[in-house]
Amino acid sequence: MKTSSLKHYEIAEAVGFSDAQYFSQVFKKVYGMTPIEWKKQALEKQSRLKI
């Protein structure tokens, strides 16, 4: 997900969720943030490592 250009709803579908909102709820329960927040944080960490 970190390096994918897929949208969160496309990833939800790819992993078997037919409802992207439900995927986001489950993701937040597991990771403590939404898929969008997680991807943003991961990209920020990645960009800091490249410097």
Side-chain angles (χ1 to χ4, degrees):
M1 193 163 92
K2 181 178 12 178
T3 59
S4 173
S5 62
L6 294 175
K7 304 292 184 196
H8 75 281
Y9 57 86
E10 294 171 319
I11 293 170
E13 190 175 295
V15 297
F17 284 83
S18 59
D19 182 348
Q21 187 174 6
Y22 180 64
F23 169 73
S24 291
Q25 290 173 345
V26 172
F27 191 97
K28 187 169 184 170
K29 232 181 220 186
V30 173
Y31 293 100
M33 61 187 84
T34 66
I36 294 169
E37 293 168 335
W38 185 90
K39 186 170 185 169
K40 181 180 176 185
Q41 184 179 50
L43 291 173
E44 287 171 357
K45 283 181 183 178
Q46 184 179 4
S47 69
R48 279 184 270 167
L49 292 174
K50 289 184 178 180
I51 295 175

